[in-house]
Amino acid sequence: MASIQLLFLIFASLSCASATFIQNFDITWGDQRAKVLPGGDTVQLTLDKWSGSGFRSKQEFLFTRIDMKIKLVEGNSAGTVTTYYLSSQGPNHDEIDFEFLGNVTGDPYVMHTNVFSQGKGNREVQFYLWFDPTKSFHTYSIIWNPSQIIFLVDGIPVRVFENTEATTGVPFPKNQPMRVYASLWNADDWATKGGLVKTNWSLAPFTASFSGFKATNCKDPSSSPLLCNSIPVISATTTSSVQAQSQSQPQAQLSANMYRRMRWVQRKYMIYSYCGDTKRFPRGLPPECRRRR
């Protein structure tokens, strides 16, 4: 459980922080397959027949907005998975996922989102993108506050996962600080058309690029109202009282325009939601789905 000291550290130390990858991240695997480009703001992750690669943030976060610009593997990316996510550690970990499932040339990527709480996930929602994510950088954002998790693409919300713990009993990620992770790896046993299309290693190495990392806290609430309007003021001396404030804090609402844009994305580009999968849940949809936005 996070200490109040950690909470103060997180909210006091980063205010729309943006710095070089060397300052913010450690390369965690892949050896020379992960490369920081000149200038220090962009990392290229590479996948070949022997290994993928990845990095992890030096700092942990408890409630934050994370923005990352990503350019995905170009051309035939079938079998590859590019990930960008927040996660804690341990069997009862929390996690907030973006995963990009590669495809054969000309077919769209699948953007896969998921939320884990206390080790339980299976809350998948998937989309096609309305642009080519391999030609230029696009910004993928996670807003995580005590009342909700919002996934955004280029500032457009595509999914909201609300904290309904008080009414449904469904756990919400709220106690465990998380680090930012990113990786590029081979998953051709499932990633493309359920594993029917395998990675074409004659096209390797595959490369994805990450840039423009930014972590926003609530030192300046105007920097991110959707984040800060639901962050409790840290004035208590115990973690439990901070949690109590979190439970009672009003939820920040999407603007009417943002809500319309989210509905547009969901109507035109959402290809799967666990909240609509009655075959998977024949005895009834998960309780949080009945309150789904």
Side-chain angles (χ1 to χ4, degrees), residues 233-260:
V233 176
I234 301 175
S235 58
T237 57
T238 66
T239 303
S240 60
S241 58
V242 172
Q243 293 166 351
Q245 291 180 57
S246 301
Q247 290 290 334
S248 62
Q249 197 73 12
Q251 176 176 305
Q253 296 292 331
L254 297 178
S255 68
N257 182 55
M258 293 182 78
Y259 186 78
R260 283 194 298 270

Short mmCIF file of all heavy atoms in Angstrom, two decimals, residues 233-260:
data_model
loop_
_atom_site.label_atom_id
_atom_site.label_comp_id
_atom_site.label_asym_id
_atom_site.label_seq_id
_atom_site.Cartn_x
_atom_site.Cartn_y
_atom_site.Cartn_z
N VAL A 233 -7.26 16.40 -2.34
CA VAL A 233 -6.21 17.21 -1.74
C VAL A 233 -5.53 16.38 -0.65
O VAL A 233 -6.19 15.81 0.22
CB VAL A 233 -6.79 18.49 -1.12
CG1 VAL A 233 -5.70 19.28 -0.41
CG2 VAL A 233 -7.45 19.33 -2.20
N ILE A 234 -4.20 16.28 -0.70
CA ILE A 234 -3.48 15.44 0.25
C ILE A 234 -3.17 16.26 1.49
O ILE A 234 -2.19 16.98 1.57
CB ILE A 234 -2.20 14.89 -0.38
CG1 ILE A 234 -2.56 14.08 -1.62
CG2 ILE A 234 -1.44 14.03 0.60
CD1 ILE A 234 -1.37 13.59 -2.37
N SER A 235 -4.05 16.16 2.46
CA SER A 235 -3.86 16.88 3.70
C SER A 235 -3.89 15.96 4.90
O SER A 235 -3.69 16.39 6.03
CB SER A 235 -4.94 17.95 3.86
OG SER A 235 -6.22 17.35 3.82
N ALA A 236 -4.17 14.68 4.66
CA ALA A 236 -4.27 13.71 5.75
C ALA A 236 -2.90 13.18 6.11
O ALA A 236 -1.92 13.40 5.42
CB ALA A 236 -5.20 12.57 5.34
N THR A 237 -2.85 12.44 7.18
CA THR A 237 -1.57 11.89 7.65
C THR A 237 -1.50 10.39 7.50
O THR A 237 -0.50 9.79 7.84
CB THR A 237 -1.34 12.26 9.11
OG1 THR A 237 -2.43 11.78 9.89
CG2 THR A 237 -1.22 13.77 9.27
N THR A 238 -2.57 9.78 6.99
CA THR A 238 -2.55 8.33 6.78
C THR A 238 -3.08 8.01 5.41
O THR A 238 -3.88 8.75 4.84
CB THR A 238 -3.43 7.59 7.83
OG1 THR A 238 -4.79 7.94 7.62
CG2 THR A 238 -3.02 7.95 9.25
N THR A 239 -2.63 6.88 4.88
CA THR A 239 -3.08 6.46 3.56
C THR A 239 -4.58 6.18 3.56
O THR A 239 -5.28 6.47 2.59
CB THR A 239 -2.32 5.20 3.14
OG1 THR A 239 -0.93 5.49 3.16
CG2 THR A 239 -2.73 4.75 1.74
N SER A 240 -5.11 5.61 4.64
CA SER A 240 -6.52 5.25 4.67
C SER A 240 -7.40 6.49 4.52
O SER A 240 -8.43 6.45 3.85
CB SER A 240 -6.87 4.52 5.97
OG SER A 240 -6.58 5.35 7.09
N SER A 241 -6.99 7.61 5.12
CA SER A 241 -7.81 8.80 4.98
C SER A 241 -7.73 9.37 3.58
O SER A 241 -8.70 9.95 3.07
CB SER A 241 -7.39 9.86 6.00
OG SER A 241 -6.03 10.19 5.87
N VAL A 242 -6.57 9.21 2.93
CA VAL A 242 -6.46 9.61 1.53
C VAL A 242 -7.40 8.78 0.68
O VAL A 242 -8.10 9.28 -0.20
CB VAL A 242 -5.01 9.47 1.03
CG1 VAL A 242 -4.94 9.69 -0.47
CG2 VAL A 242 -4.11 10.47 1.74
N GLN A 243 -7.46 7.47 0.95
CA GLN A 243 -8.36 6.61 0.19
C GLN A 243 -9.81 7.01 0.42
O GLN A 243 -10.64 6.98 -0.50
CB GLN A 243 -8.14 5.15 0.60
CG GLN A 243 -6.78 4.61 0.17
CD GLN A 243 -6.46 3.31 0.86
OE1 GLN A 243 -7.16 2.88 1.77
NE2 GLN A 243 -5.39 2.67 0.42
N ALA A 244 -10.15 7.39 1.65
CA ALA A 244 -11.52 7.80 1.93
C ALA A 244 -11.87 9.05 1.14
O ALA A 244 -12.97 9.16 0.60
CB ALA A 244 -11.68 8.07 3.44
N GLN A 245 -10.92 9.99 1.04
CA GLN A 245 -11.16 11.16 0.22
C GLN A 245 -11.38 10.76 -1.24
O GLN A 245 -12.25 11.30 -1.92
CB GLN A 245 -9.98 12.13 0.30
CG GLN A 245 -9.81 12.80 1.66
CD GLN A 245 -8.62 13.72 1.65
OE1 GLN A 245 -8.54 14.63 0.84
NE2 GLN A 245 -7.68 13.50 2.56
N SER A 246 -10.58 9.79 -1.72
CA SER A 246 -10.70 9.35 -3.11
C SER A 246 -12.08 8.81 -3.40
O SER A 246 -12.66 9.06 -4.44
CB SER A 246 -9.64 8.28 -3.41
OG SER A 246 -8.35 8.78 -3.18
N GLN A 247 -12.63 8.04 -2.45
CA GLN A 247 -13.92 7.42 -2.67
C GLN A 247 -15.03 8.46 -2.75
O GLN A 247 -16.01 8.28 -3.46
CB GLN A 247 -14.22 6.44 -1.52
CG GLN A 247 -13.34 5.20 -1.53
CD GLN A 247 -13.68 4.28 -2.68
OE1 GLN A 247 -14.80 4.28 -3.17
NE2 GLN A 247 -12.72 3.50 -3.13
N SER A 248 -14.86 9.56 -2.01
CA SER A 248 -15.94 10.54 -1.96
C SER A 248 -15.77 11.67 -2.96
O SER A 248 -16.65 12.51 -3.10
CB SER A 248 -16.02 11.15 -0.55
OG SER A 248 -14.80 11.82 -0.24
N GLN A 249 -14.65 11.69 -3.68
CA GLN A 249 -14.38 12.78 -4.60
C GLN A 249 -15.30 12.70 -5.82
O GLN A 249 -15.51 11.64 -6.39
CB GLN A 249 -12.92 12.72 -5.06
CG GLN A 249 -12.41 14.00 -5.69
CD GLN A 249 -12.20 15.09 -4.64
OE1 GLN A 249 -12.23 14.81 -3.46
NE2 GLN A 249 -12.00 16.31 -5.09
N PRO A 250 -15.90 13.82 -6.25
CA PRO A 250 -16.77 13.78 -7.44
C PRO A 250 -15.98 13.46 -8.69
O PRO A 250 -14.81 13.78 -8.81
CB PRO A 250 -17.34 15.21 -7.50
CG PRO A 250 -16.34 16.05 -6.76
CD PRO A 250 -15.81 15.17 -5.68
N GLN A 251 -16.65 12.83 -9.64
CA GLN A 251 -16.01 12.41 -10.89
C GLN A 251 -15.92 13.57 -11.86
O GLN A 251 -16.86 14.33 -12.03
CB GLN A 251 -16.83 11.28 -11.50
CG GLN A 251 -16.32 10.81 -12.84
CD GLN A 251 -17.12 9.64 -13.34
OE1 GLN A 251 -17.27 8.64 -12.66
NE2 GLN A 251 -17.67 9.78 -14.52
N ALA A 252 -14.74 13.69 -12.48
CA ALA A 252 -14.59 14.68 -13.55
C ALA A 252 -15.32 14.19 -14.80
O ALA A 252 -15.18 13.03 -15.17
CB ALA A 252 -13.11 14.91 -13.85
N GLN A 253 -16.08 15.05 -15.41
CA GLN A 253 -16.90 14.65 -16.54
C GLN A 253 -16.25 15.05 -17.87
O GLN A 253 -15.62 16.10 -17.96
CB GLN A 253 -18.28 15.32 -16.44
CG GLN A 253 -19.08 14.89 -15.23
CD GLN A 253 -19.52 13.45 -15.30
OE1 GLN A 253 -19.73 12.90 -16.38
NE2 GLN A 253 -19.68 12.81 -14.15
N LEU A 254 -16.43 14.19 -18.87
CA LEU A 254 -16.05 14.59 -20.23
C LEU A 254 -16.93 15.74 -20.68
O LEU A 254 -18.12 15.79 -20.36
CB LEU A 254 -16.23 13.42 -21.19
CG LEU A 254 -15.39 12.16 -20.99
CD1 LEU A 254 -15.78 11.11 -22.03
CD2 LEU A 254 -13.91 12.46 -21.08
N SER A 255 -16.35 16.65 -21.43
CA SER A 255 -17.17 17.71 -22.02
C SER A 255 -18.11 17.10 -23.05
O SER A 255 -17.91 15.96 -23.51
CB SER A 255 -16.28 18.75 -22.70
OG SER A 255 -15.65 18.19 -23.84
N ALA A 256 -19.14 17.83 -23.41
CA ALA A 256 -20.09 17.33 -24.39
C ALA A 256 -19.40 16.99 -25.70
O ALA A 256 -19.70 15.98 -26.34
CB ALA A 256 -21.20 18.36 -24.61
N ASN A 257 -18.44 17.83 -26.10
CA ASN A 257 -17.73 17.58 -27.35
C ASN A 257 -16.87 16.33 -27.26
O ASN A 257 -16.83 15.52 -28.20
CB ASN A 257 -16.87 18.79 -27.71
CG ASN A 257 -16.13 18.62 -29.03
OD1 ASN A 257 -16.75 18.34 -30.06
ND2 ASN A 257 -14.82 18.75 -29.01
N MET A 258 -16.17 16.14 -26.14
CA MET A 258 -15.35 14.95 -25.97
C MET A 258 -16.20 13.69 -25.94
O MET A 258 -15.82 12.65 -26.48
CB MET A 258 -14.50 15.06 -24.70
CG MET A 258 -13.44 16.14 -24.76
SD MET A 258 -12.42 16.20 -23.27
CE MET A 258 -11.32 14.80 -23.58
N TYR A 259 -17.35 13.79 -25.28
CA TYR A 259 -18.25 12.64 -25.23
C TYR A 259 -18.75 12.28 -26.63
O TYR A 259 -18.81 11.10 -27.00
CB TYR A 259 -19.43 12.95 -24.32
CG TYR A 259 -20.34 11.77 -24.08
CD1 TYR A 259 -19.99 10.76 -23.20
CD2 TYR A 259 -21.56 11.68 -24.74
CE1 TYR A 259 -20.83 9.68 -22.98
CE2 TYR A 259 -22.41 10.61 -24.53
CZ TYR A 259 -22.04 9.61 -23.64
OH TYR A 259 -22.86 8.53 -23.44
N ARG A 260 -19.09 13.28 -27.44
CA ARG A 260 -19.54 13.01 -28.81
C ARG A 260 -18.42 12.35 -29.63
O ARG A 260 -18.68 11.42 -30.41
CB ARG A 260 -19.99 14.31 -29.49
CG ARG A 260 -21.35 14.81 -29.07
CD ARG A 260 -21.86 15.88 -30.02
NE ARG A 260 -21.01 17.05 -30.02
CZ ARG A 260 -21.16 18.09 -29.20
NH1 ARG A 260 -22.14 18.09 -28.32
NH2 ARG A 260 -20.34 19.12 -29.28
#
